[in-house]
Amino acid sequence: MTDETDLKPPPRPWRWHIAVFLAPAVLVYTAVMIIPLFETLRLSFFNRADGQTFFVGIANYARLFGDPRWAASFWNALWNNAYFFLIHMVVQNPLGIALAALLSVSRLPGRAFYRSAIFLPTILSFVIVGFIWKLILSPLWGVTPSLLDLIGLRWLFAPYLGLETYALTTVALVSVWQWVGIPMMLIYAALLTIPEDLIEAAEIDGITGFSQFWRIKLPLILPTIGIVSILTFVGNFNAFDLVYSMQGAMGGPNGATDILGTFLYRTFFGFQLQGGDPHMGATIATVMFGIILVVISIYLFIIQRRMRRYEF
Amino acid sequence: MTNRTSRTLLISTAIAAMVAGAGTAGAQETTLVIESWRNDDLAIWRNEIIPAFEAQHPDIAVEFQPAAPTEYNAALNAKLDAGSAGDLITCRPFDQSLQLYDDGYLADLTDLPGMGNFSDVARTAWSTDDGSETFCVPMAAVLHGFIYNAEAFEEVGVEPPATEEEFFAVLDAFQEEGTYIPLVMGTIDQWEAATMGYQNIGPAYWGGEEGRTALIAGEQALTDEGWVEPLRVLARWSDYLGDGYQAQSYPDSQNLFTLGRGAIYPAGSWEISVFENQAIFEMGAFPPPTAPGSDTCHISDHPDIALGLNADSPNQEAGRTFLEWVASPEFAEIYANQLPGFFPLIDAEVEIDNPLAQEFASWRADCESTIRSTYQILSRGTPNLENETWAHTANVMNGVETPEEAAEALQQGLAEWYGPQQD
């Protein structure tokens, strides 16, 4: 009996070094992320009139959803955001997977070059990407009309960025062009971790080529695809810069490219003769935060928990 | 109240210190800092305007510290809140500055002797709604009109038009000839359509000041003929714009015109200096065409820029000295000639050397002047009439909305918050 008590480890001394090493990150993160987050929430419960700031409860939210004009702008921006995200899910991620699958083919000459070339746009600034594509697509100076002419498809050209029907799709595709390198890299890395013996076993069973991709590789990289999707979602619902640099703060033409980010910017900081309204701006920011939080929670609690990593 | 008392205390201490300093140390130098959005003008301020002032007032040094135009409002508000703004504040017209004055950031300048050099109209943009208090010294106005490629006009054999009918006849002539884009304008930036389109030709149809003040008083509505007709005319413009004008941006338009590919450019006078540096052909200008059945021409003579005094500045006395100089004909002459296209608002005669700017300025004598209809009072609420006008004018020119629908939408938006338009 006494032996057992002797075996118990002695009480650990308080490990103060953990607190010391965590402190800088905790302090900085609290100062630049957590406090502003709560401050934004607080701002959204106040309003300002006649030079006085007073507590209004959820009146700003009621205005955002209840006032027909605010609600129209909000739902328009939210719908545009959803569409923006949809384009990324339909074009960017499958493209990323396909490119990663191609790159992981073992006998591909110039693989390193393709990998870098496709990844390159992600390190460019939004402003540069927006500016370059505006020039490329310009009906006046752009190369698009003449290139299309070269292959006999001149009739396909339209001032894409200036027409309500095409503007948002065009901007979304430019964003896809810029970001496709990220899912490609992540999925490429995941494909590389698939053990060689698993592939060999598949080949012995006669599963090769496309069917090998669909039946062996794809299920194994599903968790990574999940992560990529959630990253895409967060990125898209926070998007602002590309639309702002290509289409301006009004999200023209006629609000066709107005997303939550530009709507927030216009409301918070003001635009032209319209003065800034920090309280309504904070309300929109809080709603955006809420949307992102809810979707991520759903993903974490319902989808991520069901996924199993394959153990080898 | 305590805030104001402490501010007064601070100011008086500062003045006392300054006087004491001047008494003991002789010419103690004060430095004034100017906040501005005109970063294009940096060289002109440093090399021309400030030296001219400093030559007369060796005890006051002036520094011009501009920000980018799009960031100016936000940056200035943040600086004023933090108490770190410069001594002199460049004022936007109407509500932006009025708001600053109401919040106590701008000093009252009504009793500045130089204010007597400006008419009531010139001061409107920087006065309280009843006109009793003025808080910025008016510096310049911008005019609207059309700049044309004189060589192209000669080639095609047309004269600058005076009436709406002649205007479209000239456009037709260019359309037929085919070498030049008849009218250079794009709609993607939206404000071009509203500012250089609607506000440019509009006054001829709504009768200038008369229509504008009637709209503010609630006696006219945006759905009245005078306000819808200019939208119809703009819809007709679309046929004469370049290919893909829906995606043509403001810099695109400027380049297109200065490269000599277009015939007529709906312009703001601030473009004069830009164009003269770039265009290699001869240019001329004509005022907005008169409306059918009228022979009076109307121009938009819009107050654009003024200079105010930071109420918290410790250098009140020096600031007022500088503003007194800004209100003088001497400053007006330097400014107007250094920045052709920015026209003085002062009541004195000012010589302008630039021929194109002279042409613009000459319309003030022959035409009736007004200001942009959306700027005073009407853009205070939500939705904001100015931004709405941008969107709907561009819609009309893009053909996605009829002029009547656009007018209806604008009127509805205005009536939502503006009392006088509500019955």
mmCIF file of all heavy atoms in Angstrom, chain B residues 366-399:
data_model
loop_
_atom_site.group_PDB
_atom_site.id
_atom_site.type_symbol
_atom_site.label_atom_id
_atom_site.label_comp_id
_atom_site.label_asym_id
_atom_site.label_seq_id
_atom_site.Cartn_x
_atom_site.Cartn_y
_atom_site.Cartn_z
ATOM 1 N N ASP B 366 -22.238 85.749 -69.612
ATOM 2 C CA ASP B 366 -23.360 85.580 -70.548
ATOM 3 C C ASP B 366 -24.434 84.622 -70.042
ATOM 4 O O ASP B 366 -25.572 84.676 -70.504
ATOM 5 C CB ASP B 366 -22.860 85.017 -71.889
ATOM 6 C CG ASP B 366 -21.600 85.713 -72.357
ATOM 7 O OD1 ASP B 366 -21.497 86.916 -72.095
ATOM 8 O OD2 ASP B 366 -20.734 85.040 -72.956
ATOM 9 N N CYS B 367 -24.056 83.707 -69.172
ATOM 10 C CA CYS B 367 -25.009 82.662 -68.785
ATOM 11 C C CYS B 367 -25.423 82.840 -67.332
ATOM 12 O O CYS B 367 -24.772 83.540 -66.576
ATOM 13 C CB CYS B 367 -24.389 81.281 -68.945
ATOM 14 S SG CYS B 367 -23.817 80.929 -70.596
ATOM 15 N N GLU B 368 -26.511 82.160 -66.968
ATOM 16 C CA GLU B 368 -26.931 82.192 -65.575
ATOM 17 C C GLU B 368 -26.246 81.071 -64.821
ATOM 18 O O GLU B 368 -26.202 79.945 -65.289
ATOM 19 C CB GLU B 368 -28.442 82.053 -65.494
ATOM 20 C CG GLU B 368 -29.100 83.339 -65.967
ATOM 21 C CD GLU B 368 -30.596 83.326 -65.737
ATOM 22 O OE1 GLU B 368 -31.039 82.553 -64.865
ATOM 23 O OE2 GLU B 368 -31.286 84.068 -66.444
ATOM 24 N N SER B 369 -25.721 81.416 -63.641
ATOM 25 C CA SER B 369 -24.969 80.426 -62.878
ATOM 26 C C SER B 369 -25.849 79.738 -61.843
ATOM 27 O O SER B 369 -26.772 80.326 -61.295
ATOM 28 C CB SER B 369 -23.823 81.095 -62.130
ATOM 29 O OG SER B 369 -22.966 81.710 -63.041
ATOM 30 N N THR B 370 -25.517 78.503 -61.592
ATOM 31 C CA THR B 370 -26.175 77.778 -60.509
ATOM 32 C C THR B 370 -25.149 76.808 -59.942
ATOM 33 O O THR B 370 -24.039 76.743 -60.438
ATOM 34 C CB THR B 370 -27.430 77.026 -61.021
ATOM 35 O OG1 THR B 370 -28.055 76.374 -59.917
ATOM 36 C CG2 THR B 370 -27.058 75.981 -62.050
ATOM 37 N N ILE B 371 -25.530 76.083 -58.879
ATOM 38 C CA ILE B 371 -24.615 75.077 -58.349
ATOM 39 C C ILE B 371 -25.239 73.692 -58.517
ATOM 40 O O ILE B 371 -26.397 73.581 -58.896
ATOM 41 C CB ILE B 371 -24.277 75.354 -56.870
ATOM 42 C CG1 ILE B 371 -25.534 75.316 -56.017
ATOM 43 C CG2 ILE B 371 -23.552 76.667 -56.739
ATOM 44 C CD1 ILE B 371 -25.256 75.533 -54.550
ATOM 45 N N ARG B 372 -24.482 72.660 -58.246
ATOM 46 C CA ARG B 372 -25.004 71.300 -58.416
ATOM 47 C C ARG B 372 -26.228 71.098 -57.531
ATOM 48 O O ARG B 372 -26.199 71.386 -56.339
ATOM 49 C CB ARG B 372 -23.933 70.268 -58.069
ATOM 50 C CG ARG B 372 -22.780 70.304 -59.051
ATOM 51 C CD ARG B 372 -21.745 69.263 -58.716
ATOM 52 N NE ARG B 372 -20.496 69.585 -59.381
ATOM 53 C CZ ARG B 372 -19.300 69.165 -58.983
ATOM 54 N NH1 ARG B 372 -19.205 68.387 -57.912
ATOM 55 N NH2 ARG B 372 -18.226 69.493 -59.645
ATOM 56 N N SER B 373 -27.288 70.595 -58.142
ATOM 57 C CA SER B 373 -28.582 70.548 -57.462
ATOM 58 C C SER B 373 -28.603 69.652 -56.233
ATOM 59 O O SER B 373 -29.405 69.832 -55.343
ATOM 60 C CB SER B 373 -29.645 70.079 -58.444
ATOM 61 O OG SER B 373 -29.330 68.779 -58.892
ATOM 62 N N THR B 374 -27.709 68.672 -56.176
ATOM 63 C CA THR B 374 -27.805 67.694 -55.093
ATOM 64 C C THR B 374 -26.979 68.064 -53.870
ATOM 65 O O THR B 374 -27.033 67.379 -52.863
ATOM 66 C CB THR B 374 -27.297 66.336 -55.588
ATOM 67 O OG1 THR B 374 -26.038 66.534 -56.216
ATOM 68 C CG2 THR B 374 -28.244 65.713 -56.567
ATOM 69 N N TYR B 375 -26.177 69.136 -53.965
ATOM 70 C CA TYR B 375 -25.195 69.363 -52.912
ATOM 71 C C TYR B 375 -25.722 70.048 -51.667
ATOM 72 O O TYR B 375 -25.305 69.746 -50.571
ATOM 73 C CB TYR B 375 -23.992 70.150 -53.470
ATOM 74 C CG TYR B 375 -22.916 69.256 -54.004
ATOM 75 C CD1 TYR B 375 -23.195 68.376 -55.038
ATOM 76 C CD2 TYR B 375 -21.644 69.254 -53.463
ATOM 77 C CE1 TYR B 375 -22.221 67.533 -55.532
ATOM 78 C CE2 TYR B 375 -20.659 68.418 -53.948
ATOM 79 C CZ TYR B 375 -20.949 67.562 -54.987
ATOM 80 O OH TYR B 375 -19.978 66.732 -55.461
ATOM 81 N N GLN B 376 -26.612 71.032 -51.853
ATOM 82 C CA GLN B 376 -27.065 71.746 -50.666
ATOM 83 C C GLN B 376 -28.284 71.058 -50.072
ATOM 84 O O GLN B 376 -29.283 70.837 -50.772
ATOM 85 C CB GLN B 376 -27.397 73.200 -51.015
ATOM 86 C CG GLN B 376 -27.548 74.048 -49.772
ATOM 87 C CD GLN B 376 -28.024 75.441 -50.070
ATOM 88 O OE1 GLN B 376 -28.551 75.723 -51.149
ATOM 89 N NE2 GLN B 376 -27.852 76.342 -49.118
ATOM 90 N N ILE B 377 -28.199 70.689 -48.802
ATOM 91 C CA ILE B 377 -29.285 70.122 -48.000
ATOM 92 C C ILE B 377 -29.769 68.748 -48.492
ATOM 93 O O ILE B 377 -29.954 67.834 -47.689
ATOM 94 C CB ILE B 377 -30.491 71.091 -47.905
ATOM 95 C CG1 ILE B 377 -29.999 72.425 -47.297
ATOM 96 C CG2 ILE B 377 -31.610 70.507 -47.064
ATOM 97 C CD1 ILE B 377 -31.025 73.529 -47.339
ATOM 98 N N LEU B 378 -29.936 68.569 -49.806
ATOM 99 C CA LEU B 378 -30.634 67.384 -50.301
ATOM 100 C C LEU B 378 -29.844 66.079 -50.174
ATOM 101 O O LEU B 378 -30.375 65.014 -50.481
ATOM 102 C CB LEU B 378 -31.054 67.588 -51.763
ATOM 103 C CG LEU B 378 -32.006 68.769 -51.974
ATOM 104 C CD1 LEU B 378 -32.404 68.873 -53.434
ATOM 105 C CD2 LEU B 378 -33.238 68.621 -51.099
ATOM 106 N N SER B 379 -28.581 66.147 -49.779
ATOM 107 C CA SER B 379 -27.844 64.889 -49.638
ATOM 108 C C SER B 379 -27.527 64.598 -48.178
ATOM 109 O O SER B 379 -26.596 63.902 -47.847
ATOM 110 C CB SER B 379 -26.565 64.927 -50.472
ATOM 111 O OG SER B 379 -26.900 64.813 -51.834
ATOM 112 N N ARG B 380 -28.369 65.131 -47.285
ATOM 113 C CA ARG B 380 -28.131 64.992 -45.861
ATOM 114 C C ARG B 380 -28.640 63.678 -45.316
ATOM 115 O O ARG B 380 -28.191 63.209 -44.287
ATOM 116 C CB ARG B 380 -28.864 66.109 -45.135
ATOM 117 C CG ARG B 380 -27.921 67.035 -44.453
ATOM 118 C CD ARG B 380 -28.643 68.254 -43.971
ATOM 119 N NE ARG B 380 -27.901 69.427 -44.390
ATOM 120 C CZ ARG B 380 -28.248 70.653 -44.132
ATOM 121 N NH1 ARG B 380 -29.378 70.892 -43.488
ATOM 122 N NH2 ARG B 380 -27.496 71.658 -44.539
ATOM 123 N N GLY B 381 -29.659 63.134 -45.932
ATOM 124 C CA GLY B 381 -30.322 61.960 -45.336
ATOM 125 C C GLY B 381 -29.947 60.672 -46.039
ATOM 126 O O GLY B 381 -29.107 60.640 -46.910
ATOM 127 N N THR B 382 -30.609 59.617 -45.632
ATOM 128 C CA THR B 382 -30.436 58.323 -46.271
ATOM 129 C C THR B 382 -31.752 57.957 -46.936
ATOM 130 O O THR B 382 -32.785 57.998 -46.283
ATOM 131 C CB THR B 382 -30.114 57.244 -45.218
ATOM 132 O OG1 THR B 382 -29.069 57.724 -44.404
ATOM 133 C CG2 THR B 382 -29.749 55.945 -45.874
ATOM 134 N N PRO B 383 -31.770 57.617 -48.232
ATOM 135 C CA PRO B 383 -30.641 57.573 -49.149
ATOM 136 C C PRO B 383 -30.189 58.970 -49.550
ATOM 137 O O PRO B 383 -30.991 59.891 -49.586
ATOM 138 C CB PRO B 383 -31.212 56.845 -50.347
ATOM 139 C CG PRO B 383 -32.649 57.214 -50.342
ATOM 140 C CD PRO B 383 -33.032 57.296 -48.905
ATOM 141 N N ASN B 384 -28.924 59.023 -49.881
ATOM 142 C CA ASN B 384 -28.266 60.259 -50.172
ATOM 143 C C ASN B 384 -28.464 60.604 -51.648
ATOM 144 O O ASN B 384 -28.171 59.809 -52.515
ATOM 145 C CB ASN B 384 -26.833 59.942 -49.788
ATOM 146 C CG ASN B 384 -25.823 60.869 -50.290
ATOM 147 O OD1 ASN B 384 -25.676 61.066 -51.483
ATOM 148 N ND2 ASN B 384 -25.096 61.406 -49.362
ATOM 149 N N LEU B 385 -29.056 61.765 -51.913
ATOM 150 C CA LEU B 385 -29.459 62.087 -53.290
ATOM 151 C C LEU B 385 -28.293 62.084 -54.274
ATOM 152 O O LEU B 385 -28.443 61.679 -55.425
ATOM 153 C CB LEU B 385 -30.196 63.427 -53.325
ATOM 154 C CG LEU B 385 -30.801 63.802 -54.687
ATOM 155 C CD1 LEU B 385 -31.845 62.798 -55.121
ATOM 156 C CD2 LEU B 385 -31.392 65.190 -54.662
ATOM 157 N N GLU B 386 -27.123 62.528 -53.836
ATOM 158 C CA GLU B 386 -25.983 62.580 -54.746
ATOM 159 C C GLU B 386 -25.608 61.169 -55.234
ATOM 160 O O GLU B 386 -25.519 60.919 -56.432
ATOM 161 C CB GLU B 386 -24.793 63.250 -54.055
ATOM 162 C CG GLU B 386 -23.453 63.127 -54.774
ATOM 163 C CD GLU B 386 -23.320 64.025 -55.997
ATOM 164 O OE1 GLU B 386 -24.279 64.751 -56.311
ATOM 165 O OE2 GLU B 386 -22.261 63.992 -56.646
ATOM 166 N N ASN B 387 -25.412 60.253 -54.313
ATOM 167 C CA ASN B 387 -25.042 58.895 -54.704
ATOM 168 C C ASN B 387 -26.134 58.230 -55.522
ATOM 169 O O ASN B 387 -25.873 57.480 -56.457
ATOM 170 C CB ASN B 387 -24.743 58.039 -53.472
ATOM 171 C CG ASN B 387 -23.431 58.420 -52.818
ATOM 172 O OD1 ASN B 387 -22.747 59.314 -53.304
ATOM 173 N ND2 ASN B 387 -23.104 57.767 -51.741
ATOM 174 N N GLU B 388 -27.393 58.519 -55.163
ATOM 175 C CA GLU B 388 -28.518 57.972 -55.911
ATOM 176 C C GLU B 388 -28.500 58.492 -57.343
ATOM 177 O O GLU B 388 -28.764 57.761 -58.289
ATOM 178 C CB GLU B 388 -29.836 58.397 -55.255
ATOM 179 C CG GLU B 388 -30.089 57.742 -53.929
ATOM 180 C CD GLU B 388 -30.603 56.325 -54.093
ATOM 181 O OE1 GLU B 388 -31.746 56.171 -54.536
ATOM 182 O OE2 GLU B 388 -29.846 55.387 -53.795
ATOM 183 N N THR B 389 -28.175 59.795 -57.469
ATOM 184 C CA THR B 389 -28.134 60.390 -58.808
ATOM 185 C C THR B 389 -27.050 59.723 -59.652
ATOM 186 O O THR B 389 -27.248 59.473 -60.837
ATOM 187 C CB THR B 389 -27.905 61.917 -58.716
ATOM 188 O OG1 THR B 389 -28.902 62.463 -57.858
ATOM 189 C CG2 THR B 389 -27.995 62.576 -60.063
ATOM 190 N N TRP B 390 -25.907 59.447 -59.028
ATOM 191 C CA TRP B 390 -24.851 58.733 -59.753
ATOM 192 C C TRP B 390 -25.404 57.464 -60.364
ATOM 193 O O TRP B 390 -25.270 57.221 -61.555
ATOM 194 C CB TRP B 390 -23.738 58.290 -58.805
ATOM 195 C CG TRP B 390 -22.839 59.320 -58.279
ATOM 196 C CD1 TRP B 390 -23.041 60.675 -58.227
ATOM 197 C CD2 TRP B 390 -21.569 59.069 -57.686
ATOM 198 N NE1 TRP B 390 -21.965 61.260 -57.635
ATOM 199 C CE2 TRP B 390 -21.052 60.311 -57.294
ATOM 200 C CE3 TRP B 390 -20.827 57.917 -57.461
ATOM 201 C CZ2 TRP B 390 -19.815 60.426 -56.676
ATOM 202 C CZ3 TRP B 390 -19.604 58.040 -56.845
ATOM 203 C CH2 TRP B 390 -19.094 59.280 -56.450
ATOM 204 N N ALA B 391 -25.983 56.644 -59.481
ATOM 205 C CA ALA B 391 -26.405 55.307 -59.901
ATOM 206 C C ALA B 391 -27.475 55.390 -60.983
ATOM 207 O O ALA B 391 -27.381 54.719 -62.012
ATOM 208 C CB ALA B 391 -26.912 54.525 -58.701
ATOM 209 N N HIS B 392 -28.479 56.269 -60.774
ATOM 210 C CA HIS B 392 -29.595 56.276 -61.715
ATOM 211 C C HIS B 392 -29.236 56.929 -63.049
ATOM 212 O O HIS B 392 -29.728 56.508 -64.093
ATOM 213 C CB HIS B 392 -30.824 56.930 -61.080
ATOM 214 C CG HIS B 392 -31.441 56.056 -60.035
ATOM 215 N ND1 HIS B 392 -32.123 54.904 -60.344
ATOM 216 C CD2 HIS B 392 -31.420 56.131 -58.687
ATOM 217 C CE1 HIS B 392 -32.522 54.323 -59.230
ATOM 218 N NE2 HIS B 392 -32.097 55.038 -58.198
ATOM 219 N N THR B 393 -28.376 57.959 -63.014
ATOM 220 C CA THR B 393 -27.968 58.548 -64.297
ATOM 221 C C THR B 393 -27.194 57.515 -65.103
ATOM 222 O O THR B 393 -27.403 57.372 -66.314
ATOM 223 C CB THR B 393 -27.071 59.786 -64.094
ATOM 224 O OG1 THR B 393 -27.475 60.457 -62.923
ATOM 225 C CG2 THR B 393 -27.142 60.713 -65.256
ATOM 226 N N ALA B 394 -26.282 56.787 -64.426
ATOM 227 C CA ALA B 394 -25.528 55.754 -65.136
ATOM 228 C C ALA B 394 -26.471 54.687 -65.676
ATOM 229 O O ALA B 394 -26.312 54.221 -66.810
ATOM 230 C CB ALA B 394 -24.488 55.142 -64.205
ATOM 231 N N ASN B 395 -27.480 54.332 -64.893
ATOM 232 C CA ASN B 395 -28.465 53.345 -65.360
ATOM 233 C C ASN B 395 -29.161 53.805 -66.629
ATOM 234 O O ASN B 395 -29.352 53.030 -67.564
ATOM 235 C CB ASN B 395 -29.535 53.108 -64.289
ATOM 236 C CG ASN B 395 -29.022 52.243 -63.173
ATOM 237 O OD1 ASN B 395 -27.931 51.689 -63.273
ATOM 238 N ND2 ASN B 395 -29.783 52.139 -62.105
ATOM 239 N N VAL B 396 -29.556 55.082 -66.623
ATOM 240 C CA VAL B 396 -30.254 55.624 -67.790
ATOM 241 C C VAL B 396 -29.332 55.561 -69.012
ATOM 242 O O VAL B 396 -29.730 55.144 -70.098
ATOM 243 C CB VAL B 396 -30.718 57.071 -67.526
ATOM 244 C CG1 VAL B 396 -31.121 57.765 -68.814
ATOM 245 C CG2 VAL B 396 -31.865 57.074 -66.538
ATOM 246 N N MET B 397 -28.076 55.937 -68.820
ATOM 247 C CA MET B 397 -27.152 55.939 -69.953
ATOM 248 C C MET B 397 -26.800 54.520 -70.389
ATOM 249 O O MET B 397 -26.465 54.286 -71.544
ATOM 250 C CB MET B 397 -25.886 56.723 -69.608
ATOM 251 C CG MET B 397 -26.192 58.193 -69.372
ATOM 252 S SD MET B 397 -24.723 59.207 -69.273
ATOM 253 C CE MET B 397 -24.258 59.311 -70.986
ATOM 254 N N ASN B 398 -26.880 53.568 -69.462
ATOM 255 C CA ASN B 398 -26.630 52.172 -69.836
ATOM 256 C C ASN B 398 -27.858 51.517 -70.435
ATOM 257 O O ASN B 398 -27.806 50.358 -70.853
ATOM 258 C CB ASN B 398 -26.196 51.364 -68.613
ATOM 259 C CG ASN B 398 -24.778 51.671 -68.213
ATOM 260 O OD1 ASN B 398 -24.048 52.297 -68.969
ATOM 261 N ND2 ASN B 398 -24.387 51.242 -67.035
ATOM 262 N N GLY B 399 -28.988 52.251 -70.394
ATOM 263 C CA GLY B 399 -30.206 51.721 -70.971
ATOM 264 C C GLY B 399 -30.897 50.653 -70.138
ATOM 265 O O GLY B 399 -31.734 49.913 -70.636
#
